[in-house]
Amino acid sequence: MHDTPPSVPDFTQWPSFPFEGDLRVKQLDDPVPVEPPRKGEGLRECTACNAPDDAYIWVGERWRVRAMDRPTGLPMVLILESRTHLDLGDLPNLLAAELGVMTVRLERAIRSLDGVARVHVNRWGDGSAHLHMWFLARPYGRLQLRGTFLSLWDSILPPISEAQWRENLALVAAWLAEFGGRPLAEPPRIQWQAPSSLLAQSAAAHAAAEAEAVSVIEAAEEIPEPASDAASGPGSDGDSNDDGQGGAVTDPPTAEAISPPADTAPPADRIPSADRDASLSPIDEDAAGSPTDEETSGTAAQTGVAEQSTRQNGKAEGVTGGHGSAAPRDEGTASAAPTATPV
């Protein structure tokens, strides 16, 4: 005859306890003399040893991480397993040391997910003889899920979306892969939806093109285009009109624009060198030397004419320095050969 069950314990009054109402304690069964073998013990197959790497989200040389086969109520539930068929107490020193490193690393990876406040790490080991550690993520702000009953709440809460679940798996796998191993979890694929008809697709494309054109025009009005080096220098082609009123900023006039007509143009040596260099093209530069030669030859010719006229007048009048008609002399000048005025 079984003993009378005790009263309901105090933890049923905790905020984290997932049940309420009238509760009673189950009758405790009698102990068995020999416990049944776990998975991987005796003649029972080991599920972890027979599982391929494709069943895991991350695999390494000595460790593997797997998830549930579907989303659950918690943001993340993962299991860390050793490749070698060993239980916790059977680990050699190398694997025992790596278990500590992998535990911390996986806890950090899960805690880096959005909406995760804490990560509970558990090891029961009553169902399988192959070492497996449980990692359960508690949602941030869900204070009622704190403590011992988080694993119960995982089965009670509605499951998260599959897209979010797969994204979390991919993030954890990528985190672990930063330290080695191979990530196998992939993020969810985008669900593309085809347009209902070609007419609707054409209309949408036309509307998008118009919207893009408007945005480009607005951007051009609001953001001025930077002036190029060529446009900022003298003698360049600007965007202003012929009357010089095309824009707020105009180019400075060139030497060609302000120079007088050819018959009244000053000599080249009287034009500032900067304006002369900026205004003359390569062809004009060649021509710039020609007027100087013409002026020289013209001056020599005029001097010869003046000298010849002076000699003729001297013979006629018998006076040196008489006034000639071809090249009048400047008064007060004692020079025998008058200098012609440059043209």
Side-chain angles (χ1 to χ4, degrees):
M1 181 178 180
H2 297 285
D3 296 334
T4 303
S7 61
V8 176
D10 295 337
F11 64 76
T12 58
Q13 304 301 320
W14 294 356
S16 61
F17 188 70
F19 307 103
E20 61 183 358
D22 296 334
L23 300 173
R24 64 185 182 89
V25 180
K26 278 184 166 184
Q27 292 287 343
L28 189 60
D29 296 336
D30 294 332
V32 297
V34 179
E35 292 189 1
R38 300 174 295 175
K39 293 180 180 179
E41 285 183 336
L43 300 178
R44 297 192 63 181
E45 292 183 351
C46 179
T47 305
C49 291
N50 296 331
D53 284 351
D54 294 341
Y56 293 77
I57 69 167
W58 174 88
V59 295
E61 184 180 356
R62 291 179 290 273
W63 300 93
R64 299 191 294 184
V65 177
R66 65 182 176 94
M68 303 293 100
D69 57 352
R70 64 178 63 88
T72 58
L74 299 180
M76 182 58 57
V77 177
L78 295 175
I79 299 176
L80 173 64
E81 295 178 352
S82 61
R83 276 194 179 272
T84 309
H85 184 79
L86 296 170
D87 206 347
L88 180 60
D90 302 327
L91 294 178
N93 292 338
L94 175 61
L95 292 181
E98 287 186 350
L99 175 61
V101 175
M102 289 299 303
T103 300
V104 174
R105 188 175 296 169
L106 185 53
E107 191 272 344
R108 288 176 179 172
I110 299 175
R111 188 158 43 88
S112 69
L113 300 176
D114 292 337
V116 174
R118 297 287 185 272
V119 180
H120 293 197
V121 181
N122 301 287
R123 184 262 174 179
W124 290 286
D126 287 332
S128 174
H130 198 121
L131 173 62
H132 56 287
M133 307 283 294
W134 291 79
F135 293 76
L136 296 85
R138 178 177 69 80
Y140 186 87
R142 295 287 188 178
L143 301 182
Q144 196 174 354
L145 275 59
R146 295 180 297 178
T148 310
F149 308 108
L150 182 62
S151 58
L152 299 180
W153 281 108
D154 182 46
S155 302
I156 297 172
L157 296 174
I160 64 175
S161 65
E162 184 171 357
Q164 184 63 47
W165 177 64
R166 292 188 178 278
E167 182 178 355
N168 290 343
L169 293 178
L171 292 174
V172 172
W175 180 292
L176 295 177
E178 290 294 324
F179 303 93
R182 181 163 53 98
L184 299 176
E186 296 181 356
R189 299 183 180 274
I190 300 177
Q191 300 295 331
W192 296 104
Q193 295 182 357
S196 58
S197 63
L198 295 178
L199 180 61
Q201 183 179 8
S202 177
H206 182 68
E210 290 182 351
E212 183 178 0
V214 171
S215 63
V216 171
I217 294 175
E218 293 176 354
E221 291 179 353
E222 296 178 357
I223 304 176
E225 296 182 358
S228 61
D229 296 338
S232 61
S236 60
D237 295 335
D239 294 335
S240 59
N241 298 331
D242 294 338
D243 57 357
Q245 300 178 358
V249 180
T250 59
D251 295 334
T254 61
E256 294 179 352
I258 63 176
S259 61
D263 55 346
T264 60
D269 56 352
R270 297 185 182 181
I271 300 176
S273 60
D275 295 339
R276 183 173 68 252
D277 297 339
S279 61
L280 293 180
S281 63
I283 299 178
D284 296 332
E285 291 178 358
D286 297 339
S290 299
T292 303
D293 299 336
E294 292 176 358
E295 287 178 3
T296 303
S297 59
T299 302
Q302 292 178 4
T303 303
V305 173
E307 291 177 353
Q308 183 178 3
S309 177
T310 302
R311 287 195 299 270
Q312 294 176 357
N313 292 338
K315 292 179 180 180
E317 298 178 4
V319 179
T320 302
H323 297 285
S325 59
R329 297 176 57 189
D330 190 6
E331 294 181 0
T333 303
S335 174
T339 303
T341 303
V343 294

